[in-house]
Amino acid sequence: MDAENLTPLDPAYASMLRVKFGIVAAVLLAGASIAEIAIPGYTGAVWLPVGLFALWLLIRMPMRRYAARGYSLEGERLRVVRGILFRSDSVVPFGRVQHIDVDQGPLERAFGLATLTVHTAGTHNASVSLPGLAQADAAAIREDIRAAIRRDTQ
């Protein structure tokens, strides 16, 4: 199984990440501005590195995070790949699924996105989350998994 077989997340996920990182960047810049006022004589000593970091957060990180995630539904399994520094490749057989959640936070709702969480039998890593799906796609995947489970139990 290689990365070419993965389905990318909804492109709106990158925009939502940009908004999330924008909020973090605004807080960092506000703190840097307060530090600039508190430290006399060092104009730009705090604000410049924080500003560069904020730009990196806004421009580079959302696209890296977006590109580092993907999923596939093959046979009776859900495969979720994620991670930039530490890659994680999780495969969930439908026979191990206990229940499935489709969640939306306020930002996800604003962008029409949802997070699919598949809870499995077992204790270690008993759930796999897949954020960044279009709301309709998350519901469709949930129904596909439920239908496969019903077929297997009958």
Side-chain angles (χ1 to χ4, degrees), residues 13 16 100-105 108 113-118 128-135 138:
Y13 183 60
M16 186 197 75
I100 309 157
D101 297 327
V102 175
D103 301 310
Q104 284 185 301
E108 287 176 315
L113 299 172
T115 298
L116 178 79
T117 305
V118 178
V128 175
S129 291
L130 180 58
L133 296 172
Q135 210 285 327

Side-chain angles (χ1 to χ4, degrees), residues 21 50-64 84:
F21 286 127
V50 171
L52 290 173
F53 180 71
L55 275 175
W56 179 75
L57 273 180
L58 290 172
I59 295 169
R60 185 75 174 126
M61 272 310 284
M63 293 314 294
R64 287 192 70 196
I84 295 172

Side-chain angles (χ1 to χ4, degrees), residues 2-151:
D2 51 71
E4 289 137 18
N5 295 335
L6 295 176
T7 304
L9 301 177
D10 192 282
Y13 183 60
S15 299
M16 186 197 75
L17 286 174
R18 192 159 279 122
V19 169
K20 284 175 80 171
F21 286 127
I23 293 168
V24 171
V27 170
L28 288 174
L29 289 172
S33 297
I34 291 168
E36 282 289 330
I37 293 169
I39 303 171
Y42 290 104
T43 306
V46 176
W47 207 89
L48 183 64
V50 171
L52 290 173
F53 180 71
L55 275 175
W56 179 75
L57 273 180
L58 290 172
I59 295 169
R60 185 75 174 126
M61 272 310 284
M63 293 314 294
R64 287 192 70 196
R65 270 243 173 117
Y66 173 76
R69 288 186 174 268
Y71 70 95
S72 68
L73 284 169
E74 297 174 349
E76 297 283 314
R77 295 183 272 221
L78 170 66
R79 178 181 178 216
V80 177
V81 177
R82 64 191 171 279
I84 295 172
L85 291 177
F86 300 97
R87 294 289 282 173
S88 172
D89 190 341
S90 302
V91 178
V92 179
F94 292 167
R96 304 271 303 160
V97 173
Q98 296 292 311
H99 65 278
I100 309 157
D101 297 327
V102 175
D103 301 310
Q104 284 185 301
L107 276 178
E108 287 176 315
R109 244 188 326 277
F111 284 91
L113 299 172
T115 298
L116 178 79
T117 305
V118 178
H119 300 274
T120 62
T123 56
H124 181 67
N125 294 332
S127 65
V128 175
S129 291
L130 180 58
L133 296 172
Q135 210 285 327
D137 291 345
I141 291 171
R142 178 182 58 195
E143 293 308 313
D144 289 347
I145 294 171
R146 287 175 63 194
I149 292 169
R150 270 190 245 122
R151 277 194 310 269

